Amino acid sequence: MTAHNPAKVIAITGASSGIGEAAARRLAADGHRLLLGARRTERLSRLARELTAAGGTVAAERLDVTDAADVRDFVACAREHYGRVDVMVNNAGVMPLSPLAALRTDEWDRMIDVNVRGVLHGIAAALPVMRGQGGGHIVNIASVGAYEVSPTAAVYCATKFAVRAISEGLRQESAGDIRVTLVSPGVTESELAEGITDPAAREAMKAYRAAALPASAIADAIAYAVAQPPQVDVNEIVVRPTASAQ
Ligand code: NDP
């Protein structure tokens, strides 16, 4: 840590796998103090133990981002542990792709609940704490699907367009004390595609995902935004595999 990049308290949702886990590894290595949240507590605890053994300051808490009270408790827990919350990384997300005509309405609801409501719950929980302490940084994980729509991804892209709109609105309303960063990954190695139940959408994903970036590439983008000095607000980062057109 340097005066330019002081250690921060960072809460990360969806830290039990993929991009959230990679972000935890990178941000712990950078010397930040972390609270990790997700539903699979065994994996979270194992990660927290591993990072702590390597010299990090890392705690873990069960979290379901679809429950506003749960997210409030999560942020309160970070504050109890460390006295403040400098950065909230709203990363938890699901992507059960399917054509609209398949009418998988439960999956549409789940994407809206996790990807949109989850991010709003994170903002609602963190914003008052950050305002109270005189500043903070909200990092929302969207997708290249926040910029373009493709077949089977209408609802998923809608949730990510929403995350982008919410982030931009928050940025405009929060100028002065809250930094807002939208990180939009292209295809990245993770467990995200395992939630696809539609057979055709699942098959189509196989070729697309062959070019996937390591999750550490997205973690590096998050760490870059976090490391900037207070007067620098990195608003949007899109990270695609060089080999990928989408
Ligand atoms: P993973 O499936 O590997 O990780 C998703 C994480 O979200 C897990 O830790 C999961 O934990 C958590 N999660 C899911 N539902 C909930 C919930 N209700 N409450 C709390 N946590 C939850 O996928 P990724 O790492 O890829 O996904 C991270 C983000 O990146 C998502 O927002 C995704 O949309 C976005 N993204 C990913 C891309 C990719 O190609 N991988 C591309 C573009 C964007 P648990 O199940 O333990 O709760």
Side-chain angles (χ1 to χ4, degrees), residues 141-155:
I141 309 304
S143 166
V144 290
Y147 298 84
E148 61 207 6
V149 181
S150 51
T152 74
V155 178

Side-chain angles (χ1 to χ4, degrees), residues 14-20 38-40 63-66 91-94 114 141-144 156 160 185-192 209:
S16 58
S17 63
I19 292 167
R39 294 164 306 170
R40 289 171 293 175
L63 169 68
D64 184 339
V65 296
T66 66
N91 163 74
V94 293
V114 177
I141 309 304
S143 166
V144 290
Y156 179 72
K160 295 302 187 175
V187 63
T188 303
E189 285 166 8
S190 78
E191 298 175 14
L192 197 65
R209 296 196 77 80

